[in-house]
Amino acid sequence: MLLADDLYFVAHEETSGKSRLHPRVTGLALAAALLGELVMDGKIDLRAGMITIIDRQPPVDALAHTILDQLASERQQHATHNWLAFLGNSATDQVCQRMVRSGHLNRSESRGLLRTTVRFVPADRSAAAWPEARLRRFLTRGEQLTIQDAVLAGLIEASDLTRHVLWDGDARSFQYLAWVLSSLPPPLRELVTQAQAAIGNAVITTLN
C-alpha cells in the first residue's frame, strides 16, 4: 500500500473504521502523506517551507497524478503549510475513494430517519492492523525501517498517535523513533515538521 493508505489504517480502528483523530487532523495528516508520496516518487521537493516541482511526468497512481496536477496548475510557488491546509479539505475523502478502488476499504451506508450515514470499513482487519503492528515491531526491536515506514512514523508522531502505536514501548523505543526521524532526508524531515505545525495549529483552533 501507499503511504497515505498506511496512515489511514493507523488513524482508524480496524474493526469499525472509526477515526482516532479529529476530522481536521486526519485531513491534514493524510494531505501530508499524499505530498510525501510525491516526494518519495521524485516528483516534488520541499525546501525552506516551499514546494517545488522537479518532475512533471504523471505518477502511476491516479490520486498522486491529480495532486501533482493541482500543484503544477499554480503559476507561483505556494508555501507548504498552505498546500497542507488546501489539500487537507479533501484528502480523507480522496484517500478513502482510492482505498475503495483498490479493495482495501468497503463503503457502508446506514439509513436513518433524517439522513444516510456513510462509513468506510476495512475489507480485511488483519491488513488494516498490519501498518501499526509493523511499525511497533520495528521500533521496539530497533530494526531498520524502509523510507516509507520512517515517514509513516513521522506523520504518526505529528498526529500524536505515537503512544497508541508504541503502547508497550520502552524508553529505547522512543529514542530509536527520534533517531529515525532525525535521519529522514531533508525534504521528508521538513514535511513531517510542517505537518506537525499545521496539526498543532488545527488542534489549538479546534479547542478555542
Side-chain angles (χ1 to χ4, degrees):
M1 292 189 298
L2 296 170
L3 174 62
D5 302 352
D6 275 346
L7 181 60
Y8 182 92
F9 273 150
V10 177
H12 292 78
E13 296 178 0
E14 61 266 19
T15 52
S16 66
K18 182 179 178 180
S19 179
R20 296 184 168 106
L21 301 170
H22 186 278
R24 184 57 181 159
V25 173
T26 303
L28 289 168
L30 291 175
L34 291 173
L35 291 177
E37 291 176 10
L38 292 174
V39 173
M40 290 187 293
D41 198 26
K43 301 301 180 183
I44 63 173
D45 189 23
L46 274 68
R47 303 278 177 173
M50 306 295 288
I51 295 177
T52 303
I53 297 175
I54 55 179
D55 181 4
R56 293 176 181 265
Q57 289 297 314
V60 174
D61 177 67
L63 178 53
H65 188 175
T66 298
I67 301 298
L68 184 63
D69 282 349
Q70 289 178 306
L71 296 172
S73 67
E74 295 293 327
R75 294 183 179 180
Q76 295 180 335
Q77 279 188 322
H78 288 281
T80 305
H81 66 85
N82 287 335
W83 278 113
L84 287 173
F86 172 73
L87 296 173
N89 292 324
S90 57
T92 303
D93 182 63
Q94 289 176 312
V95 172
C96 280
Q97 297 304 326
R98 179 171 74 179
M99 295 179 73
V100 168
R101 292 193 298 270
S102 66
H104 290 115
L105 289 179
N106 292 326
R107 189 176 187 274
S108 173
E109 290 187 4
S110 57
R111 299 183 180 276
L113 292 176
L114 300 178
R115 64 176 182 175
T116 299
T117 302
V118 177
R119 293 190 305 141
F120 293 92
V121 182
D124 185 325
R125 293 181 182 178
S126 296
W130 174 237
E132 178 184 327
R134 184 178 70 239
L135 270 187
R136 182 184 301 116
R137 187 186 72 187
F138 289 162
L139 292 172
T140 55
R141 296 181 181 180
E143 296 179 4
Q144 184 173 358
L145 278 68
T146 64
I147 189 66
Q148 177 168 317
D149 277 345
V151 180
L152 176 62
L155 294 179
I156 287 171
E157 174 74 5
S159 307
D160 200 24
L161 283 169
T162 303
R163 289 285 178 182
H164 168 74
V165 173
L166 290 179
W167 56 269
D168 59 346
D170 57 15
R172 283 186 292 184
S173 301
F174 290 92
Q175 290 169 359
Y176 181 55
L177 171 61
W179 179 84
V180 166
L181 301 187
S182 68
S183 301
L184 282 170
L188 293 170
R189 191 164 64 245
E190 177 164 332
L191 175 65
V192 171
T193 300
Q194 292 280 346
Q196 193 162 28
I199 289 170
N201 289 335
V203 170
I204 292 173
T205 302
T206 301
L207 291 176
N208 291 337

